[in-house]
Amino acid sequence: GVRDVLFLYEENRCSMTYMYEYPEYLKIKLPKKTARRYPTYELYLYGEGNYAEENKNLLLTGIPVLFLPGNAGSYKQVRSLGSIALRKAEDVDFKYHFNFFSVNFNEELVALYGGSLQRQTKFVHECIKVILKLYRDREFAPTSVAIVGHSMGGLVARALLTLKNFKPELINLLITQATPHVAPVMPLDKYLTDFYTAVNNHWILKAQDLRNLTTLSVAGGFRDYQVRSGLAFLPRLSQHDSALSVVSSAVPRAWASTDHLSIVWCKELILATIRAFFDLIDENTRQITEDPKKRMSVLNHHFVRHPAKIFEENPETIMELTGAFMWITVKASKWTYSVYNDSDGKYFTFPLANHRKSYSHVYCESSMLDTSSWIYGCMNSNSSICLEATDLSWRAELLPTTKVVILKLQDYPSLSHIVIQVPPTVGNKYTLDCEFFKEDSRTVQLPVTNLFSFGLSSSKILLNSTGLLYNVQLQHFNQIYQAFKIYIESHCKSLKERKPSVYRLHIPWSHEDSITVAKVPSFTEISAKLHIAQPQNDNSVPELNIYSSSDCQYEVILKTSLVQILGQIIRFHAGAFPVYVVSNILLTYGGQLNTLISTGQCSDFSFELVRTAKPYKVEPLISIVVFLQGCHWFRVIRESLSLPDVDAAVLSSQDAWFPLVSLILFLFGTGIAYWSGVFFSASLRLISLLWLTLIRPTVLQNGNKLVTPRRLCGVLSLALVSWTTCGALAVLIIYLQYWTSSLFFHMAITFTVQDHCRVNLSQVHLRRKLIKNQSSMDSTSKATQSLSNSTTIAEAVNSLKMHVTILNLFTWIVLLNLPSLIYWLKNIRYNVRLDPDPCRSTAIVLVCILEILMNSSTSEVKSSKLLKIASKVPLPLSVAMLAFGRMHLYKVPYFVIFSLLLHVLCCVV
């Protein structure tokens, strides 16, 4: 599954964008108050060559666009947009041009640490005000700024509308690239999840206020394994019709999936974006149009359905067919015409009267990919010549190798003829095809194979193609956990050269189509899986559109792909793995406490994991709650008690949850927990053996005090570190201290065992002498001492096993807190104290607990009255962790702390 996500995707089909002149970034001077409040952030203006020189005095006359980089992103990523926009402006002699600004967020890790997101949002607000001031007193001064946000930059742009003093009219266009809008990829701290909740709630509750803002979200597709495309889809709101979400593989003239970084420089996508920007310009104001309908029309034109024509706001529908062209009537239901060096233009007319009786649709395609009109409809014309006609070219759709149009004859009752225009061509070669057909004859239903067929069975159909278009409906393909491989094999009767076939997987409820171009004949493999599950009120069916060659046979075979199903589980739920691993370790920890009660011995971690970490102990309860979530009475009770939603229920409502996924994740967590335990035990053993050759440790001693003045000073020091710098730093220090303590403890056990063996050997020799001297009293004393040493070693081994489990548990807490530490280290030169700190209070509690635990032993725990309670608590805590920690990873340490706190009490009480 991991391999499928990280490696098994389509090759990179994006072209690189290049600068024709050296890129320059002009730093914009900010007001002193803003610069003092945000010392780590900066604002830049992009430029190249002469354009950069001209703008050094900041006498700007263009249209402002602000680029916001994402997680660890650079302000220099604006160069692809800025450079192509500059070249496009040169093409129109700078009648219109754009000024691209970019914000330097100091490459902050905002996807992992949410404490700076609000600060970034406020800084962007200040930048917008500074940018608009630069245009003051200009002839065509802008009143708003367009924003392009990559990754988390897109979320920051959306968050502007949540600021109390922000005026919504300051932005009228927002384009986001691979932005996780729905939820964070890794919900590692409360600030991150709270920020998402605030932004998404505002966009839902204040949807009416967003009508003047047009938003486009572009996702990267399956190549982007950092942000899955389902997260990049904007919330579906019936009253919010000015938002559009697309996957890059469905964008016309791009048709390519992008990874998380290449979406910023992918030439095909950048060209679509810049073309859209120029089409959005209002000629009167020389700024981006204030008309929301026009903005949506432009975005749909460039990002959803491209008719192979240059955008026109109000295109002329009635056209005059002029020119000294030859008129030719075609009565056949199927027609092909090849053009090469034709100096005479022609009009081919197709009378519809006879065809209406036998056929329901007409399909035409042209391999001439120019932007001129080519297909028309004549109204009520009795002659074979038509002087005025309706331009049907706007109904066409651009595909990689052809442009096609499908017309339902019933929708055009007033049309008497279809007219195809063939202009004079010199040096060009292209082909035109038309055919009339019945929809039923070209629509084939293909039921998808069962999820549990594991690719052993298949669905198969054979298309004896006499037509140009087939629609294969994929029945019951509507869930994200379904994944298939589709094999299309084409055979042709003759060996003549043919145009390539185009296969399009069309998902009707979201713009996530994927297109494959294949030679004929050929054997093609297509992956079929979803980014978004089918909405409940949607009855549409996914289709495989085959734009075929007329005399070829196509065999379509569909099989379930187990590898891709596992890949979908990883893609949608990899962020929840730490929860399942910690849950397994917590169950093991509870099992070890139970064996202390029953046998007086602490079992080995690996053995106890296999014995205790069972999915049936935790999964059924969560499944019952998810089921009850669908009942009205249960929701009423939950809301009256103000109880939070179970994470699985939330995921289920988002169509991101599917059967058996929790079981698979739990078993995977068991595997990771098992091997992490093996690794810790082996590493402790190996390092202690290496150190024993260099250092002579002390022998094990009994009666260590849990609290000493020295340890108390250590706790206070680390608490001070946590409070004044970064909580994660204190957590890391106490973790390393615990690791070192366990290492030395292991060395002491090893040395004591070796010493005990030497003593026993010397006692054997001594006993032989004593037998000769008949001194039995000393012999009994020595035997008693030997038994005491054996007991001490056994107790120490038990304690070490417990320490290894706690250390294993604590490792995951450190890993979950590590992002805030990395963020703090990166910004330490600006501020020694991390503020806000998501783990400051957690760190202080952990330091106190672990300072006691690292010096504790199982002998103290065994005699405690609280041991029975402490051994029972890990099971309900594991259930609660899986219930509330999947979408809130920052809650995981709380459950672990509670369990360890009981352990500390067992050492004392």
Side-chain angles (χ1 to χ4, degrees), residues 309-361:
K309 285 181 68 65
I310 295 170
F311 176 80
E312 294 178 32
E313 186 177 358
N314 298 305
E316 293 184 21
T317 53
I318 305 299
M319 304 284 290
E320 289 186 5
L321 302 184
T322 57
F325 285 12
M326 185 187 301
W327 287 82
I328 303 171
T329 302
V330 180
K331 294 183 179 180
S333 61
K334 189 175 178 183
W335 169 81
T336 299
Y337 184 74
S338 295
V339 184
Y340 182 64
N341 277 342
D342 196 344
S343 57
D344 299 321
K346 295 181 179 66
Y347 286 120
F348 291 92
T349 64
F350 299 80
L352 299 179
N354 293 329
H355 293 309
R356 287 185 187 277
K357 299 173 185 177
S358 307
Y359 305 105
S360 62
H361 289 72

Side-chain angles (χ1 to χ4, degrees), residues 224-278:
D224 188 351
Y225 55 80
Q226 294 183 45
V227 176
R228 63 176 177 85
S229 296
L231 291 178
F233 277 68
L234 292 158
R236 290 193 187 98
L237 300 170
S238 56
Q239 67 271 33
H240 188 199
D241 55 0
S242 58
L244 178 65
S245 302
V246 299
V247 179
S248 61
S249 59
V251 175
R253 305 173 81 173
W255 298 300
S257 177
T258 63
D259 60 55
H260 196 62
L261 290 178
S262 69
I263 198 169
V264 176
W265 53 255
C266 178
K267 185 177 179 181
E268 288 76 9
L269 266 183
I270 300 299
L271 283 169
T273 305
I274 297 304
R275 289 183 190 120
F277 269 129
F278 275 86

Side-chain angles (χ1 to χ4, degrees), residues 90-306:
E90 288 176 351
D91 290 344
V92 295
D93 294 326
F94 281 92
K95 181 182 179 183
Y96 313 114
H97 71 280
F98 289 85
N99 302 128
F100 275 85
F101 297 85
S102 184
V103 173
N104 178 16
F105 284 135
N106 194 32
E107 300 184 10
E108 290 180 335
L109 300 171
V110 286
L112 305 177
Y113 168 74
S116 62
L117 283 168
Q118 195 66 28
R119 186 161 59 246
Q120 286 191 1
T121 306
K122 291 177 179 177
F123 179 72
V124 172
H125 184 199
E126 297 299 323
C127 287
I128 291 173
K129 291 190 280 189
V130 169
I131 289 168
L132 292 176
K133 279 183 183 178
L134 294 174
Y135 294 87
R136 199 160 43 189
D137 302 328
R138 300 290 188 272
E139 183 181 358
F140 297 101
T143 57
S144 62
V145 174
I147 296 181
V148 178
H150 172 239
S151 189
M152 294 298 287
L155 189 72
V156 168
R158 286 180 64 210
L160 285 167
L161 296 156
T162 64
L163 298 177
K164 290 181 180 178
N165 56 346
F166 183 78
K167 298 176 182 177
E169 58 269 19
L170 289 180
I171 51 173
N172 58 11
L173 177 66
L174 169 60
I175 297 177
T176 66
Q177 303 169 326
T179 296
H181 291 293
V182 178
V185 176
M186 292 289 284
L188 291 169
D189 66 60
K190 192 173 187 296
Y191 305 113
L192 192 58
T193 54
D194 286 353
F195 188 82
Y196 265 90
T197 303
V199 172
N200 286 329
N201 285 348
H202 183 90
W203 276 60
I204 292 169
L205 298 173
K206 304 284 185 181
Q208 294 291 345
D209 301 338
L210 302 175
R211 285 188 171 275
N212 291 324
L213 172 63
T214 303
T215 311
L216 169 68
S217 174
V218 183
F222 290 110
R223 277 187 65 87
D224 188 351
Y225 55 80
Q226 294 183 45
V227 176
R228 63 176 177 85
S229 296
L231 291 178
F233 277 68
L234 292 158
R236 290 193 187 98
L237 300 170
S238 56
Q239 67 271 33
H240 188 199
D241 55 0
S242 58
L244 178 65
S245 302
V246 299
V247 179
S248 61
S249 59
V251 175
R253 305 173 81 173
W255 298 300
S257 177
T258 63
D259 60 55
H260 196 62
L261 290 178
S262 69
I263 198 169
V264 176
W265 53 255
C266 178
K267 185 177 179 181
E268 288 76 9
L269 266 183
I270 300 299
L271 283 169
T273 305
I274 297 304
R275 289 183 190 120
F277 269 129
F278 275 86
D279 284 340
L280 286 165
I281 297 172
D282 186 330
E283 290 188 4
N284 297 321
T285 63
R286 297 202 175 185
Q287 296 294 324
I288 288 177
T289 178
E290 295 295 326
D291 183 3
K293 288 184 178 179
K294 181 183 176 180
R295 292 200 295 260
M296 282 304 294
S297 297
V298 170
L299 294 180
N300 275 294
H301 179 93
H302 288 284
F303 288 91
V304 178
R305 185 186 177 93
H306 199 296

Side-chain angles (χ1 to χ4, degrees), residues 836-851:
D837 190 344
C839 57
R840 181 168 288 130
S841 54
T842 308
I844 293 171
V845 177
L846 273 172
V847 164
C848 297
I849 289 173
L850 293 171
E851 188 67 51

